[in-house]
Amino acid sequence: MADNFLERQRRDYEARKQEWLRKKKRFPIIKPHLEKPEDEAL
């Protein structure tokens, strides 16, 4: 278990995280634009 287990886990985690961030940037979330109604009574 002393064969750099934690270092390898951390390196793999960082690689997965970078890949996830790259994919996230490719597909930005588009938020719908909500308009206020003209009549505030609604």
Side-chain angles (χ1 to χ4, degrees):
M1 190 113 162
D3 57 352
N4 298 329
F5 175 77
L6 293 176
E7 290 83 358
R8 188 176 40 223
Q9 291 292 100
R10 180 68 176 195
R11 185 181 62 229
D12 293 346
Y13 163 76
E14 292 294 338
R16 287 193 312 270
K17 181 179 171 184
Q18 288 302 318
E19 185 64 29
W20 180 80
L21 288 173
R22 248 183 259 126
K23 286 180 183 179
K24 183 179 173 186
K25 286 182 183 178
R26 250 184 258 159
F27 301 105
I29 298 173
I30 300 172
K31 295 181 180 178
H33 179 68
L34 300 176
E35 296 180 13
K36 280 188 167 182
E38 291 179 18
D39 184 11
E40 292 293 327
L42 294 177

